[in-house]
Structures are given as C-alpha cells and as structure tokens.
Amino acid sequence: MSDFNLVGVIRVMPTDPEVNLDKLEANIRKTLKEKFGSKYGISKIDREPIAFGLVALKVYVLGKDAEGYSFDEVAETFAQVENAESAEVETVSRF
C-alpha cells in the first residue's frame, strides 16, 4: 500500500435504515478486491448518520495519480453492491 498517493472518499448510501451495515461493509471490501485486485486499497470505513436512522458509509479508497485509476469507476462498482442505493465520490486528495 505504500505506493498509493491519493485517497478518495466515497459515500455509499444503503437502500434503507434496516440494512446490516457490517454486511454491507464486508460486501464493499469483497467487491473491491474481486473487481480490481490490489489496484486499490481501503484505508478505513466510517459511518455517517444522515437522518431518520439512515447511516451512510464513508469509504476511504487508496489509489494512484496515474492513468487507469478512476474513483468514479470504483463508486459505480460500489453502487452495484447488494443493499447499496447509491455511491458517489465526495473528495479526492493527494497525500
């Protein structure tokens, strides 16, 4: 992971407040690994309360500032995960 130089924060919204967030988090990690291998990494996943019991996952995805890396592509992949309503890139920062 030491050669990553970007972090993208992707907010994943569950389909409803009853979604098991631990399972959704595990599915996000599994999907990233299955689709992209070691191209991307996950630094951490935070939980952000939204409203009326709905909690979003903020996924901190590690990548490189190089051709072939797209945090939008990762967000589109996360949006396809079971029980994910949507996923969008909030920020991308260099570190």
Side-chain angles (χ1 to χ4, degrees), residues 35-85:
K35 173 128 184 174
F36 299 106
S38 62
K39 183 175 179 179
Y40 296 96
I42 293 180
S43 171
K44 66 178 181 174
I45 300 178
D46 288 339
R47 295 180 182 194
E48 177 184 36
I50 303 298
F52 306 108
L54 189 63
V55 177
L57 296 180
K58 292 183 86 164
V59 185
Y60 291 74
V61 179
L62 303 173
K64 295 181 187 175
D65 186 10
E67 190 171 331
Y69 283 82
S70 169
F71 289 101
D72 288 329
E73 182 181 16
V74 174
E76 290 170 12
T77 301
F78 288 171
Q80 301 302 315
V81 171
E82 182 181 359
N83 292 322
E85 178 70 27

Side-chain angles (χ1 to χ4, degrees), residues 7-58:
V7 61
V9 180
I10 300 175
R11 182 164 75 171
V12 179
M13 297 296 294
T15 52
D16 64 66
E18 305 302 317
V19 169
N20 181 331
L21 294 177
D22 292 330
K23 186 174 180 182
L24 179 57
E25 185 176 326
N27 287 340
I28 286 170
R29 290 181 187 275
K30 179 181 172 190
T31 299
L32 185 72
K33 188 162 191 78
E34 286 177 353
K35 173 128 184 174
F36 299 106
S38 62
K39 183 175 179 179
Y40 296 96
I42 293 180
S43 171
K44 66 178 181 174
I45 300 178
D46 288 339
R47 295 180 182 194
E48 177 184 36
I50 303 298
F52 306 108
L54 189 63
V55 177
L57 296 180
K58 292 183 86 164

